[in-house]
Amino acid sequence: MFNVPAPDAFAVFGVSRTLDLDEQELEMHYLKLSRECHPDHNRAQTTDDCAAVLQRSAEINDAWNILRDPWRRARALLEAESAGVLERNKKLDPMFLMAALELAEEVAFAESDRQAALTDKLQAAIDSDFTALQKDVNNGDFDAAAKRVHQSHYHLKALHDLEAKS
Amino acid sequence: MAYSDKVLDHYQNPRNVGSLDKDADNVGTGVVGAPECGDVMKLQIKVSDEGQIIDAKFKTYGCGSAIASSSLATEWLKGTSIDAAAEIKNTQIVKELSLPPVKIHCSVLAEDAIKAAINDWRRKNGKLAKEEANS
């Protein structure tokens, strides 16, 4: 198996490396790039050309799936800015982890009448994670940003678990 | 992926689930997480004046292997000495539970939790070496 590092999603799309991408513009851009690679619009002359177009097409699809999701976009941005930054910042504050454990318990034992309020609470936590993440990225503090991404994973997972209950 | 019978047993009948008073001087608490999977593990020990672990409790939010690893850890911790507890290695947990390679990080988490709990108890009781105090 070849261990080729995944190409930088921002570079594949040719957009600037920022968290604040306009999602509508991004989708238009995706459609345009896809069209360019479509076999109907792109008569490859040789087998080599054909393989290259296919490769490009796969890269565009992968990049699209990363960029359209704010959290995956954040991971890609951090790795592109500072390789290994997510791995280096996996140790989270015990106080945060304790709160995450309590949150997970709250979700596990939530009665149905409590689910709407809890969903709002988790969504608010995720939104505030993202705001804090944007601030860290804008300040160029990628270590702090990586910790935010890890923390948000606990909130996203709790929300996912809550949704799976109903 | 098939879990071993021992993992299933601990998962279905976890030992020593619960909490000890984290503010008590004779209790050490360790909370560790694996952010990639969103797992979190809390492990607590209660230590006698003689340095024996007289009780151990855990709470784990995570996969079956993480739950089994921490459940097994509390079984091993109860009745052992602090010094012996500090020697517990994740590889022993892997062997006992027959964890597959993709689940080894769960046993690492359990070892980290044991060490964090011991350090917390040592910190409270002034038994921590200086270089460890900052970690």
Side-chain angles (χ1 to χ4, degrees):
Chain A
M1 206 173 76
F2 296 98
N3 256 327
V4 184
D8 172 5
F10 297 91
V12 170
F13 258 52
V15 293
S16 56
R17 206 185 277 163
T18 166
L19 283 181
D20 318 292
L21 292 175
D22 183 292
E23 295 192 7
Q24 228 170 350
E25 252 173 57
L26 195 69
E27 183 168 6
M28 298 294 286
H29 197 55
Y30 167 64
L31 294 174
K32 183 174 156 277
L33 291 175
S34 303
R35 209 157 34 232
E36 285 169 11
C37 289
H38 196 282
D40 286 356
H41 297 276
N42 199 309
R43 294 265 170 85
Q45 300 297 311
T46 68
T47 325
D48 279 356
D49 288 348
C50 203
V53 169
L54 199 64
Q55 168 77 18
R56 167 86 181 137
S57 177
E59 281 177 11
I60 290 165
N61 280 327
D62 288 344
W64 166 238
N65 284 324
I66 290 168
L67 295 179
R68 69 195 298 202
D69 177 323
W71 292 104
R72 291 189 69 187
R73 186 192 306 155
R75 285 173 181 270
L77 182 144
L78 292 176
E79 280 307 312
E81 290 289 350
S82 173
V85 71
L86 289 163
E87 184 63 31
R88 286 196 301 276
N89 288 284
K90 273 163 79 170
K91 204 170 170 198
L92 301 179
D93 174 33
M95 295 293 282
F96 171 81
L97 290 170
M98 198 74 111
L101 189 62
E102 280 162 17
L103 204 53
E105 278 191 312
E106 207 179 332
V107 167
F109 296 112
E111 304 287 341
S112 52
D113 61 339
R114 180 84 187 99
Q115 290 199 4
L118 199 46
T119 302
D120 290 348
K121 182 178 158 182
L122 288 169
Q123 196 56 61
I126 293 163
D127 291 346
S128 105
D129 287 336
F130 200 75
T131 309
L133 170 72
Q134 280 173 310
K135 211 173 140 201
D136 290 334
V137 168
N138 290 339
N139 291 337
D141 190 347
F142 301 119
D143 289 309
K147 286 205 166 67
R148 301 276 183 205
V149 168
H150 288 321
Q151 292 190 352
S152 73
H153 192 185
Y154 286 93
H155 297 144
L156 290 163
K157 191 177 170 191
L159 184 61
H160 180 263
D161 288 353
L162 186 65
E163 282 166 353
K165 279 180 73 151
S166 51
Chain B
M1 188 193 66
Y3 282 120
S4 70
D5 288 344
K6 279 181 181 163
V7 170
L8 288 175
D9 180 35
H10 277 281
Y11 179 65
Q12 283 157 356
N13 312 293
R15 281 48 140 193
N16 310 307
V17 173
S19 293
L20 300 168
D21 177 11
K22 68 175 167 48
D23 297 321
D25 281 342
N26 61 348
V27 170
T29 302
V31 193
V32 293
E36 294 303 336
C37 17
D39 286 1
V40 53
M41 188 180 281
K42 181 180 79 168
L43 195 145
Q44 295 182 298
I45 49 172
K46 187 188 270 184
V47 185
S48 74
D49 294 341
E50 292 76 37
Q52 290 288 120
I53 296 174
I54 46 179
D55 201 3
K57 296 274 183 204
F58 84 95
K59 267 187 188 179
T60 291
Y61 174 60
C63 69
S65 300
I67 291 169
S69 294
S70 37
S71 172
L72 175 68
T74 56
E75 274 196 329
W76 282 353
L77 287 169
K78 276 170 116 173
T80 189
S81 71
I82 276 282
D83 293 335
E87 296 299 313
I88 294 176
K89 293 278 177 289
N90 84 290
T91 46
Q92 295 167 278
I93 297 172
V94 170
K95 200 170 164 213
E96 176 68 17
L97 296 175
S98 317
L99 294 179
V102 294
K103 290 292 175 183
I104 287 174
H105 67 277
C106 298
S107 68
V108 174
L109 205 57
E111 185 187 321
D112 288 348
I114 294 171
K115 292 208 158 45
I118 293 172
N119 278 349
D120 184 49
W121 176 82
R122 284 182 173 159
R123 192 175 294 129
K124 280 181 179 169
N125 292 275
K127 292 181 171 136
L128 202 59
K130 262 216 166 73
E131 66 271 19
E132 282 177 293
N134 299 321
S135 70

